[in-house]
Amino acid sequence: MRFAGRITDWNGERGFGFVVPHGGGDRAFVHVSEFQRGSRPPVVGDLISYETRKDAKGRLNAKTIRFAGQKIEAPGKHRRIPRLGIALAFFLLVAIFTLFGKVPVMVSLAYVAVSLVSYVLYCLDKAAAKKEYRRIPETTLHFIDLLFGWPGGLVAQQQCRHKTAKDSFQRTFWLTVLLNLAGAFVLVASGIAQRLSSTLLGA
């Protein structure tokens, strides 16, 4: 059964809020991931239709949410991004370039180490979202991804099913990927990365 109601509270930074059904009744928890992919960000006062389901703690959650008048998305319209495959292919490529001396060891180590940090942060943020605890700021996730952590972020996004439905986050995420790759290319091509690697490993 679908209900119609208005969003009465919305936290844009954390991507959740609450909806109250028309005619009265229990309010339901709303999460941005339950909106159709490609939908605009919700705001307080939006009229939506939704189904309800209770979670393990008995709390009412809004599911399969649509804005009033929004058409049902055609199946298969959006392709899933093979995030895990992209990350693994990138790590393999970096390993090969490092083996043949094209990429300094410190660059490879940076990608591995910071990716682990990024992976953990994404997983912690996902857990916090489920339990409605204090979230890790998106700016922190983007900063870590920019600093060589984006491959780990990709893996976490797929495995934890986190941040993949929020278009604004994804746009910024892929921008950090491009900026990181550009920065890494400059560091390697200019010889700066090699000098840093020699200095640190020789210390």
Side-chain angles (χ1 to χ4, degrees):
M1 178 179 178
R2 293 192 69 83
F3 297 87
R6 288 191 182 277
I7 295 179
T8 58
D9 300 279
W10 185 256
N11 187 318
E13 176 66 25
R14 300 173 68 182
F16 72 83
F18 294 92
V19 58
V20 174
H22 287 328
D26 296 330
R27 73 173 187 171
F29 178 77
V30 177
H31 192 271
V32 69
S33 62
E34 291 296 330
F35 286 84
Q36 286 192 147
R37 185 181 294 273
S39 297
R40 64 170 175 79
V43 296
V44 172
D46 275 337
L47 178 62
I48 62 174
S49 66
Y50 59 98
E51 297 176 357
T52 58
R53 205 169 303 157
K54 290 187 177 181
D55 61 18
K57 295 183 179 181
R59 296 172 296 190
L60 199 63
N61 289 268
K63 299 290 184 179
T64 59
I65 303 171
R66 297 198 300 269
F67 290 108
Q70 185 179 21
K71 295 181 179 180
I72 299 175
E73 184 181 82
K77 184 177 181 180
H78 293 278
R79 295 182 179 180
R80 291 181 179 274
I81 299 174
R83 292 174 168 82
L84 179 59
I86 293 174
L88 293 179
F90 179 77
F91 278 129
L92 178 60
L93 191 63
V94 170
I96 292 174
F97 282 167
T98 302
L99 183 64
F100 285 93
K102 301 297 183 180
V103 172
V105 174
M106 289 304 299
V107 173
S108 300
L109 293 178
Y111 274 115
V112 173
V114 185
S115 285
L116 287 174
V117 174
S118 181
Y119 181 87
V120 170
L121 289 179
Y122 272 88
C123 293
L124 290 175
D125 189 54
K126 177 66 174 182
K130 287 183 176 180
K131 298 180 180 179
E132 299 183 32
Y133 290 164
R134 184 178 179 83
R135 301 284 300 278
I136 296 174
E138 290 185 354
T139 51
T140 299
L141 297 177
H142 288 316
F143 181 71
I144 296 299
D145 289 334
L146 179 63
L147 296 181
F148 298 93
W150 64 265
L154 273 179
V155 176
Q157 286 176 26
Q158 178 167 320
Q159 291 191 336
C160 300
R161 296 182 180 180
H162 192 44
K163 297 294 186 180
T164 59
K166 191 172 182 180
D167 288 342
S168 60
F169 183 90
Q170 285 297 308
R171 285 193 295 269
T172 305
F173 171 78
W174 288 107
L175 177 60
T176 65
V177 173
L178 293 176
L179 290 175
N180 170 262
L181 291 176
F185 176 79
V186 171
L187 288 175
V188 173
S190 65
I192 295 176
Q194 183 60 54
R195 290 195 293 272
L196 288 173
S197 183
S198 299
T199 299
L200 292 175
L201 293 179

